[in-house]
Amino acid sequence: MPAPRPSLQKIISQLAANYGEPKPPITTDPFELILLENVAYLVSDERREQAFKTLRKHAGTQPHEILAADHEDILQATKLGGMHPEQRVSRLKEIALTAMNEFGGDLKQVLKLPLPKAKQALRKFSSIGEPSAEKILLYTRAYPVLGLDSNGLRVLVRLGFGEEKKNYTATYRAVSEAIKDQLKEDYEWLIGTLILLRHHGKELCKTNAPLCEKCPVRKSCAYFKTRRGQVPKS
């Protein structure tokens, strides 16, 4: 008989007690959130925000501003965002062009579409898959959906929500199905949950060599019990 799933709301409360209440997102504008995903690559969240703020200061963060900006002004930001900064300048220009051509420069209209169509529209942009599209719709308070990144997804799989499948998409859907009855339809709680799960995955519940002994939710974690040779109680 499988072990009962832990309480997600209890886990989130424990994570908040350990890490502190999460800071709100740096922006809730849909186009800026797409830029935030693309301005940096494989850097810390703090470095990504620094790159985004530099972009906002020197080039602007609206489609017409990006298209009008000098290459060097955008490059100041993408250089802060890690490897291949020149490629990311071109990508940001392409994103702005898509926003102008497909949506007249106003992505807020996307937020009014039915959920499947809203996700489809956002996925027209570089680096925006289903999880990122859902995160944008959550941060903009368009739909109360939990757009998990790889860190948050890994945390939930290890806790016992769903199981790892052959590919990321299948795992994502399995976990989303497993947690759906434990989610609150509350934007503040969902945004906080998303941020805390991501932070925990980056800080302690790492891909390799997770720091389980320091984990504030290890007593609820199926992965921790397995590592210690314990069988979760049924």
Side-chain angles (χ1 to χ4, degrees):
M1 183 176 180
R5 287 175 297 165
S7 165
L8 181 60
Q9 293 182 27
K10 179 181 177 182
I11 284 166
I12 298 307
S13 294
Q14 290 171 323
L15 293 178
N18 186 72
Y19 295 115
E21 292 296 329
K23 294 189 303 181
I26 191 173
T27 179
T28 58
D29 178 85
F31 183 72
E32 288 190 337
L33 287 165
I34 292 170
L35 294 180
L36 190 62
E37 292 288 325
N38 284 276
V39 74
Y41 180 67
L42 294 180
V43 298
S44 67
D45 291 347
E46 293 75 18
R47 190 71 175 269
R48 183 178 296 275
E49 287 195 8
Q50 184 183 2
F52 175 78
K53 288 177 180 177
T54 300
L55 181 70
R56 180 184 274 168
K57 179 179 179 180
H58 293 283
T61 53
Q62 292 306 307
H64 67 280
E65 294 174 327
I66 296 290
L67 289 173
D70 288 340
H71 181 93
E72 292 300 317
D73 288 336
I74 300 176
L75 189 61
Q76 287 187 62
T78 58
K79 279 183 175 179
L80 291 172
M83 62 181 70
H84 309 307
E86 295 279 354
Q87 290 181 18
R88 276 181 281 109
V89 173
S90 299
R91 185 178 299 165
L92 294 180
K93 290 276 190 180
E94 290 170 5
I95 287 168
L97 191 61
T98 299
M100 294 299 292
N101 289 343
E102 297 276 349
F103 307 102
D106 181 14
L107 263 67
K108 290 181 181 176
Q109 61 184 286
V110 171
L111 309 180
K112 300 174 183 177
L113 296 172
L115 179 58
K117 290 188 176 181
K119 289 197 286 187
Q120 185 179 23
L122 291 170
R123 293 184 69 177
K124 292 176 182 285
F125 294 94
S126 178
S127 301
I128 306 299
E130 183 174 8
S132 295
E134 290 188 347
K135 180 172 72 172
I136 290 168
L137 294 170
L138 174 61
Y139 281 4
T140 56
R141 290 169 168 75
Y143 286 97
V145 287
L146 192 67
L148 296 162
D149 75 338
S150 59
N151 293 286
L153 190 70
R154 179 173 63 256
V155 170
L156 289 177
V157 168
R158 285 177 174 171
L159 283 165
F161 294 100
E163 57 185 23
E164 192 160 1
K165 303 291 186 180
K166 290 183 179 179
N167 60 67
Y168 188 90
T169 299
T171 303
Y172 185 85
R173 290 179 179 165
V175 170
S176 296
E177 179 66 23
I179 64 172
K180 69 179 184 180
D181 62 343
Q182 295 209 37
L183 298 179
K184 295 182 184 180
E185 283 206 13
D186 176 279
Y187 285 112
E188 293 299 329
W189 185 84
L190 288 168
I191 291 170
T193 294
L194 185 62
I195 294 170
L196 284 167
L197 289 172
R198 170 178 168 78
H199 184 74
H200 185 56
K202 290 171 70 71
E203 192 76 14
L204 295 179
C205 195
K206 302 177 181 183
T207 304
N208 300 313
L211 304 176
C212 292
E213 295 299 333
K214 296 181 179 180
C215 176
V217 296
R218 63 184 180 275
K219 291 182 179 178
S220 301
C221 182
Y223 178 81
F224 175 70
K225 292 173 183 176
T226 300
R227 287 188 80 192
R228 291 179 59 121
Q230 297 178 8
V231 178
K233 295 179 180 179
S234 59

